[in-house]
Amino acid sequence: MEPKTYQINENLSIRTIQESDAADLFQLVEHDRQELTKWMPWAAQIKTAKDELRFIKYALKQMNNGRLLPMCILYNNQVIGNLDLHEIDPENKNAKIGYWLGSQFQGQGSMTKSVKELISIGFNELHLHKIILEADASNQKSINIALKLNIKQEANFKEQLLVDEEYHNLLSFCLFEQ
């Protein structure tokens, strides 16, 4: 399947993930493993580029089944992060959004713009009615993305996540098609 690219601005784009992204994504995970693992337990399981490739193959199968839309974030055609629509529910027309960005690329608005573009794809191409963004209540960077995009907090699930033997609250933000 040919990857699809969405140009956000002159330098920034998102495109469907491909197997050839494995090494670049692994290097980003490796560089930021400690920080990523705080918010995304899967990061601890990606120990080699081969592990990343295995995940990409799984993601592409899920994409073909219509349950996942995995994307890479590119800056000047360099992979700098990842985002997706997952748990896509075509019957109820909703999905969850997830994302991460290499630390050296943070603080420049790339993630906010990329998430905005993926939301547009979700509503305009996948015809979703609702997109859900979930964030650990202590992950302020992720919460800031929701706030910048005017995604409204819908729920605060108390002690929903167990991280390093400590319970954390999970915030759920929702955006509805306009």
Side-chain angles (χ1 to χ4, degrees):
M1 182 179 203
E2 192 66 30
K4 189 164 185 183
T5 301
Y6 299 84
Q7 199 68 40
I8 297 170
N9 62 33
E10 184 180 318
N11 302 313
L12 187 66
S13 61
I14 61 174
R15 80 158 153 70
T16 50
I17 202 167
Q18 47 193 357
E19 290 182 18
S20 60
D21 295 321
D24 291 338
L25 287 169
F26 173 71
Q27 288 304 315
L28 290 169
V29 171
E30 185 70 7
H31 184 267
D32 293 331
R33 182 174 307 283
Q34 188 173 359
E35 183 67 16
L36 281 172
T37 304
K38 278 198 266 183
W39 315 117
M40 298 176 205
W42 57 258
Q45 297 160 4
I46 304 293
K47 296 180 176 151
T48 66
K50 194 172 184 178
D51 293 336
E52 184 65 41
L53 178 59
R54 191 175 306 115
F55 170 75
I56 290 171
K57 287 180 178 183
Y58 163 81
L60 292 171
K61 283 181 188 171
Q62 291 299 305
M63 184 173 79
N64 289 334
N65 293 334
R67 297 294 183 184
L68 178 67
L69 181 58
M71 310 286 284
C72 281
I73 304 167
L74 305 161
Y75 189 82
N76 291 331
N77 294 316
Q78 175 188 356
V79 174
I80 64 168
N82 188 273
L83 74 166
D84 65 37
L85 288 171
H86 57 276
E87 296 181 38
I88 298 172
D89 180 347
E91 290 99 39
N92 294 301
K93 298 184 181 247
N94 63 59
K96 293 181 179 178
I97 193 166
Y99 47 84
W100 61 270
L101 190 65
S103 61
Q104 63 269 44
F105 305 102
Q106 294 176 10
Q108 301 166 32
S110 297
M111 185 55 79
T112 303
K113 292 172 189 154
S114 298
V115 169
K116 183 178 181 181
E117 183 69 19
L118 187 57
I119 288 169
S120 176
I121 293 164
F123 289 138
N124 298 320
E125 294 185 25
L126 301 181
H127 307 290
L128 297 174
H129 173 69
K130 179 180 180 179
I131 296 176
I132 302 159
L133 184 160
E134 294 179 330
D136 184 311
S138 57
N139 186 345
Q140 195 58 51
K141 289 179 181 180
S142 191
I143 293 166
N144 287 345
I145 299 290
L147 297 175
K148 287 177 192 172
L149 294 173
N150 205 27
I151 303 172
K152 304 294 183 207
Q153 184 177 330
E154 191 170 79
N156 180 356
F157 298 101
K158 302 287 185 185
E159 299 185 5
Q160 181 76 14
L161 304 170
L162 183 60
V163 181
D164 292 330
E165 314 243 348
E166 183 179 313
Y167 284 98
H168 292 229
N169 293 353
L170 178 69
L171 303 181
S172 180
F173 297 84
C174 297
L175 187 64
F176 294 90
E177 69 180 325
Q178 300 296 321

